[in-house]
Every structure is written in C-alpha cells, then in structure tokens.
Amino acid sequence: MEVKAVIEQQQKKKNIFGKVDIRAYTMIGALIAIWIFFGMLNETFLSARNLSNLFTQMSVTAILAIGMVLVIVAGHIDLSVGSIVGLTGGIAAILSNWMGMPTSVVIVCTLLAGALVGFVQGWLVAYRAIPAFIVTLGGMMIFRGALMGITKSTTIPIFDAQFIALGSAYFTNAFGIVLAVIAIVSLFVSTFRKRKSRQQYGFTVSPLPIEIAKLLVISVLILLFVLTMNSYKGIPFPIIFVIALALIFSFIATKTTFGRHVYAIGGNVEAARLSGINIQRHTMMLFVFTGLLSAIAALVLTARLSSATISAGQMYELDAIAACVIGGTSLMGGSGTIIGAMIGAMVMTSLDNGMSLLGMETFWQYIVKGSILILAVWIDIASRKRKVN
C-alpha cells in the first residue's frame, strides 16, 4: 500500500509539472550561475559587447556540436571535425584569395568538400566496418597534414568583404525585433498545437497556467537576448546560422524517421538491425552531416578571423564532444538532444570567456574544462546506474 501511495503521489506531481528534463534545467542553472559568478568578478562580462562576442565565439563550437550529437547518439565518435574545419577553411581561403572566386562559389565548393570528406569517412566506418575512433583519428592527422600542404604552412588572408561578413556582420535592430516576434509567436503556436494533439490522443498534459508560465519565461528570455544584442550592434550573423541549424537538425532528430532510427541504433544496434533499419546507410549519412557542418563552421571561423591558418580548428573536436556530454548526450549512445548540446557549448564558451577576462593562465582553462567534462560523464554514468537499479 505504501508503494502504491508513493507511485500515485509521483504521478500527481508529474501531472502538475509535466515532463521535466532535470538534466537540462540543471545545466541552465549552472550556466546562469557561471554568468553571475563571472559577472560579479568582472563587470564587463555581462556587458552587451562581451555577450555579443561570447555568442559569436560560441557559434563554431555549437555548429560542430550539432553534428556531433547525432554521431554520439548512434554510438560513434568523430575526432576529425577540428581538422576538417582547418582543411575546409584553407580551401575557402585559397578559392577566395588565390583564385579570386566569388563568395557564392567559395561557399558551395567548401560545403561540397566538407560533405565529401564526411562521405569518405562514413563509407569506411559503415561499409568497411573500421571503428569510427580509428577512422576519424587517422582523418584528424591526414586532414591537418593536407591543410599544411595546400597552404604551404602559411596564413592566407581574406579580402572579400562579402565573405568576411559571414563571420563579422550584424543584423539590424529591426530585424532582431521581427525575429523575436516570429520566434515567440511560433513558440506559442507549436506548444498549443502539441498540447491539443496530446489531449486528442488521451496523453497527460500539464495544467494550462503552468504551460503559459513556461512560455512567458522563454519569451522574456528571447526578448532580453534580442534587446541586449541590439544595444550593441545587433544580432551577429553566426548566431542566426546556429539557430537555423539547431532548428533544422532538431527537426531531423525528433520529427523524422531517420532521426528515430538513429536513436534506435544507439539504443540497441542489434534490435535496430532486426527491425529492418539500414544501419550502414544511416551511419554514413551521419558522417556526411558532420563533414558538412564542419565546413559551415569553417566558413564562419575563417570569415570571423579574416584568414585561414594551419592552427585553425585545433582541439575543436574536444570542445564539441565536451559540449555534447555536458549538455546531456550519453557517450554510451541512445540519448542526447541538440538543445542540450547548445547549452553545453554555451557553458564551455562562457568558461573560456570568463577566465580570459579574469586574466587566468591558459593551463587553468584546460584544467577547469577537463574537470567539468569528467564530472559530466560521471553524472551520466551515475544516473544510468540509478535507472537500472
């Protein structure tokens, strides 16, 4: 009887508050705590200018993390994304500077190069059964060496203003306000549509006042973000790329058959195979996505720096993996979200930015970030053991 009473009480709480992602809210709370901490130690941390720089710095890691989430969910890993960023950034600089090609051609060729690299690696993993760790570890070294070869180990500057705008331009204040309105309206419409659909099929929904309260909080955060960015120069171009890619791949991961199959593969590969899922094709497509996203990140990074260097993208694969794990993606496969990876990327970038403003030496930044990564994996393993028990 006592067990039944406890279960009924838990069910009532679930009905009141709805389905709560404790890990996501914990990470949001940690991010807020980090911001408050650095804001108290350095008043410039929460300034509009620094927050704009912070979001711009986050963009490359966030774009890489979007692709990395799905790869890890499927039970693989990609250690080559940083080197792909460097190689495709070098290709973009060569096409723009040495060959004088227009920005549109540079973008298309760079994206094709990234997708091709991902296709080759995905084919080796999927159809030749070489472990992804080995393929991408080898790719990391091969692509870095190729970058040094094609650039002759020199820095290639970018002079095309249109290209540079991809990483350093800002949208107008009016665009930011319009974007905020569209985002808020879309949020309300999608939430109430989902609520109505769940009610039609007899699923439990949280009370309407609580649902509205959540929507209002998110709406306020959207408005604060836009107003803060507008108080400096406006919303940076790279952030729009991140938002667009996050929405696209969130849709792919949660609303398409492909996405559901990826989670099924990561959850139990043998069961997925017996269910008729084409594991090889799905695996190859995941690496094509990571190659493509790495090329997009390369375009943003090269444009922001106005040059391509042989050191571009170094250690970025570790930042992307850390962002995913901190955001709740399990290295065991089968679970993880794009939104969580975005939060993880923001946590990593905030730590980098805050420690730099405080003048902390580089070695401390590596120690702190590494410790947080280990802690995140520890929490993931502990939470999985609790679920099993």
Side-chain angles (χ1 to χ4, degrees):
M1 292 297 292
E2 291 181 1
V3 174
K4 184 178 180 181
V6 171
I7 294 174
E8 289 179 352
Q9 187 176 8
Q10 291 177 344
Q11 186 64 38
K12 287 180 180 179
K13 289 181 179 179
K14 187 176 181 180
N15 291 341
I16 293 174
F17 297 105
K19 187 179 179 180
V20 178
D21 188 344
I22 301 299
R23 182 74 174 267
Y25 287 126
T26 301
M27 291 313 305
I28 292 173
L31 178 61
I32 293 173
I34 290 170
W35 281 20
I36 293 173
F37 175 74
F38 285 123
M40 292 174 61
L41 295 179
N42 191 308
E43 59 182 14
T44 62
F45 180 82
L46 294 177
S47 65
R49 178 179 180 179
N50 187 64
L51 289 177
S52 179
N53 292 334
L54 190 152
F55 283 114
T56 303
Q57 292 168 9
M58 180 204 74
S59 60
V60 174
T61 301
I63 292 171
L64 294 177
I66 290 171
M68 190 68 74
V69 166
L70 296 180
V71 170
I72 295 176
V73 164
H76 298 289
I77 199 75
D78 192 340
L79 300 176
S80 67
V81 292
S83 294
I84 297 176
V85 168
L87 176 60
T88 52
I91 292 172
I94 289 172
L95 293 174
S96 178
N97 188 329
W98 292 359
M99 298 185 180
M101 292 187 177
T103 301
S104 58
V105 175
V106 172
I107 292 173
V108 172
C109 291
T110 303
L111 296 181
L112 288 175
L116 178 61
V117 167
F119 175 84
V120 172
Q121 292 198 126
W123 181 80
L124 291 171
V125 173
Y127 292 96
R128 288 296 173 263
I130 304 175
F133 180 88
I134 299 301
V135 170
T136 58
L137 180 62
M140 178 177 67
M141 293 183 282
I142 292 169
F143 305 143
R144 185 63 58 182
L147 171 62
M148 293 178 181
I150 65 173
T151 62
K152 299 180 176 59
S153 297
T154 60
T155 297
I156 304 175
I158 302 293
F159 300 108
D160 188 339
Q162 289 184 336
F163 190 167
I164 294 173
L166 295 174
S168 58
Y170 297 85
F171 287 99
T172 63
N173 290 0
F175 176 85
I177 297 298
V178 171
L179 186 66
V181 172
I182 293 174
I184 292 171
V185 171
S186 300
L187 180 65
F188 272 83
V189 171
S190 62
T191 300
F192 282 108
R193 279 185 178 177
K194 183 178 179 181
R195 179 184 177 86
K196 184 178 179 181
S197 177
R198 290 180 64 85
Q199 288 175 330
Q200 286 178 345
Y201 290 99
F203 292 109
T204 302
V205 296
S206 57
L208 185 60
I210 292 179
E211 198 83 66
I212 292 175
K214 290 179 181 178
L215 291 173
L216 290 175
V217 170
I218 296 173
S219 300
V220 169
L221 292 176
I222 292 173
L223 284 173
L224 283 175
F225 167 75
V226 172
L227 293 175
T228 301
M229 295 298 99
N230 283 351
S231 66
Y232 179 53
K233 290 183 178 180
I235 300 177
F237 265 39
I239 295 303
I240 300 300
F241 298 150
V242 171
I243 294 173
L245 290 170
L247 290 174
I248 291 170
F249 280 88
S250 291
F251 178 83
I252 292 173
T254 60
K255 304 296 183 182
T256 67
T257 302
F258 175 83
R260 289 190 289 271
H261 286 177
V262 169
Y263 281 88
I265 292 170
N268 190 322
V269 65
E270 191 58 34
R273 181 180 289 106
L274 293 174
S275 299
I277 296 174
N278 191 328
I279 296 174
Q280 292 177 322
R281 184 176 63 192
H282 284 67
T283 299
M284 187 175 70
M285 282 304 302
L286 290 176
F287 283 92
V288 171
F289 284 152
T290 57
L292 184 62
L293 288 166
S294 297
I296 295 174
L299 289 169
V300 172
L301 179 64
T302 305
R304 181 162 64 86
L305 300 177
S306 299
S307 63
T309 65
I310 60 172
S311 62
Q314 283 187 346
M315 301 293 289
Y316 280 23
E317 58 278 347
L318 300 185
D319 282 344
I321 293 170
C324 294
V325 175
I326 290 172
T329 302
S330 174
L331 290 175
M332 304 296 179
S335 65
T337 63
I338 303 296
I339 300 302
M342 297 298 97
I343 298 172
M346 182 57 69
V347 168
M348 295 293 289
T349 308
S350 297
L351 288 170
D352 274 338
N353 184 277
M355 288 187 288
S356 296
L357 286 177
L358 295 178
M360 295 179 66
E361 302 217 25
T362 304
F363 71 87
W364 278 115
Q365 298 182 29
Y366 283 113
I367 290 172
V368 171
K369 288 163 62 178
S371 300
I372 290 176
L373 176 59
I374 294 173
L375 179 62
V377 175
W378 183 13
I379 292 172
D380 174 59
I381 293 174
S383 63
R384 281 179 171 265
K385 286 183 178 178
R386 284 198 298 270
K387 288 179 181 179
V388 172
N389 296 331

